[in-house]
Every structure is written in structure tokens, then in C-alpha cells.
Amino acid sequence: HAKSIIITAGTFLNGLMHIGRHQYPGGRCAEPAVTHLTESITRWGIRSGRMKTGTPVRIDKRSIHFEDTEKQTGENDFHQFSYLTPHRKLDQLPCWTCYTNKAAHDILRKGIPDSPLYNGQIKSIGPRYCPSIETTLTTFPDKDQHPLFIEPEGVDTNEMYLNGFSSSMPIEIQLEALHQIPALRDAKIYRPGYAIEYDFFD
């Protein structure tokens, strides 16, 4: 009986993840896709479409050579998401910067034919311009390096988010390329980068 309903489904509606030429149903790594909800809405004449997005590889902090990175400290001031609640003191965690190189680029280019973004496996549109590493290499073929940002996932985990290395290439290509980067030469990963397609409503 509600006048309106807001569905905040993220990437879960009929979610399909891509790692190389392999496809797995899911809304996020290790979490199931939501099926049938899209169809229960479109039968009332509401249109749906498909979008795509990507996510980077997640790396074990204990396998990173931080001596080969540049530390980026966070801001430690009064800003917060809401001004309606009391200020909550949170530990500010640093990030670290490193760069891709020509050796990593050569390996990644070798994997582009198996990238779902380039071999026709994915046909969806992107919600915004957030390029994968393969798109970055293709768009800027003259660049020998691109920045990567190593970001902690939280205060109580060793999982690090490698911003700038969003990819849907095969896992072995991702790992081989990462190992060409000095700071990541011994990198162990929790999970690879992947692309995901999902339903949205116009």
C-alpha cells in the first residue's frame, strides 16, 4: 500500500560476474545474485536494462613491500558524513601509492583478448566512467606507467583494495602483471578483480 518503493539493489539483480572467459552468477564475490525480482517488476510495464561495472583485485597486506611505495596519509579533521549525529573519532588509516610499469603492461596486453570488456562477452553499458586497467592501457598506449592506490578495507583486516587495477582479465594474467610491480612482487591475493553485469530500472 506504499505510495512509492525505493529498491537499493546495487549489483545484485540477476548479477553475473566475469573473470576472463568464466562467468559466475552473483551480486558480489561470494554473495548470491537476486533472481526473479526484476521480472516481478517488469511485468507491470516498468523497463529494465543491463549495466556493468568492475572491481579491483584485493591483496593481502602482509605480502606487500611498502618500502617500494609512497605513503599517503589521510586527513584528520572534523569532517564526517553527517552533521546530525555526534562526532565519532575514527582511526585514520594511510594509503600507499605505487605504479604500473612496461613489464606489467606487456603482460596485461597479452590478456586483452580474454577480457570480457573487449572480446564481446559483456555488452552492457557503464553507469559512469571508471576505467579498468585494460581500458587505461588501450586509451593511453603511450604511457609507460599508471598510478595505483593501495587502500585498506578496514581497521581489523589485512585486505587491501588496489584502486586503479580494476580488471576482468583471467586471474593468472592479473597475478603475473602484479608481480612485475616492485611493491607487489610477492603479492598474494584474496580475490581477483572482476566485472559484473546487473539489472537496473529506467
Side-chain angles (χ1 to χ4, degrees), residues 128-180:
R128 63 190 176 106
Y129 184 65
C130 189
S132 64
I133 190 68
E134 46 264 52
T135 299
T136 300
L137 293 182
T138 306
T139 307
F140 305 103
D142 56 319
K143 301 292 184 188
D144 288 332
Q145 66 175 27
H146 297 284
L148 301 175
F149 301 93
I150 304 169
E151 305 173 353
E153 288 273 11
V155 294
D156 56 356
T157 179
N158 286 312
E159 190 171 339
M160 308 297 280
Y161 182 101
L162 190 60
N163 198 335
F165 203 92
S166 175
S167 178
S168 60
M169 288 192 192
I171 185 171
E172 61 273 12
I173 292 287
Q174 294 185 43
L175 201 51
E176 189 182 352
L178 288 173
H179 286 165
Q180 307 306 310

Side-chain angles (χ1 to χ4, degrees), residues 33-145:
V34 172
T35 56
H36 308 303
L37 181 57
T38 297
E39 293 77 9
S40 74
I41 294 170
T42 55
R43 70 192 175 106
W44 298 101
I46 297 171
R47 292 177 297 173
S48 71
R50 294 286 277 173
M51 278 192 179
K52 66 176 180 189
T53 192
T55 191
V57 62
R58 303 310 204 279
I59 298 174
D60 189 328
K61 180 179 185 177
R62 296 163 295 189
S63 67
I64 299 170
H65 290 271
F66 288 102
E67 69 273 15
D68 293 317
T69 67
E70 182 183 340
K71 191 174 183 179
Q72 306 282 330
T73 56
E75 293 180 344
N76 198 1
D77 63 10
F78 63 90
H79 290 100
Q80 57 188 48
F81 282 115
S82 172
Y83 293 101
L84 302 178
T85 54
H87 183 70
R88 199 167 67 129
K89 180 83 172 122
L90 293 174
D91 290 336
Q92 294 301 299
L93 301 178
C95 297
W96 293 266
T97 306
C98 62
Y99 294 87
T100 62
N101 54 39
K102 187 178 183 305
H105 292 183
D106 290 343
I107 291 164
L108 291 167
R109 286 192 182 98
K110 184 175 67 175
I112 285 180
D114 289 318
S115 168
L117 296 170
Y118 283 88
N119 64 15
Q121 190 171 306
I122 292 178
K123 298 179 173 60
S124 308
I125 60 172
R128 63 190 176 106
Y129 184 65
C130 189
S132 64
I133 190 68
E134 46 264 52
T135 299
T136 300
L137 293 182
T138 306
T139 307
F140 305 103
D142 56 319
K143 301 292 184 188
D144 288 332
Q145 66 175 27

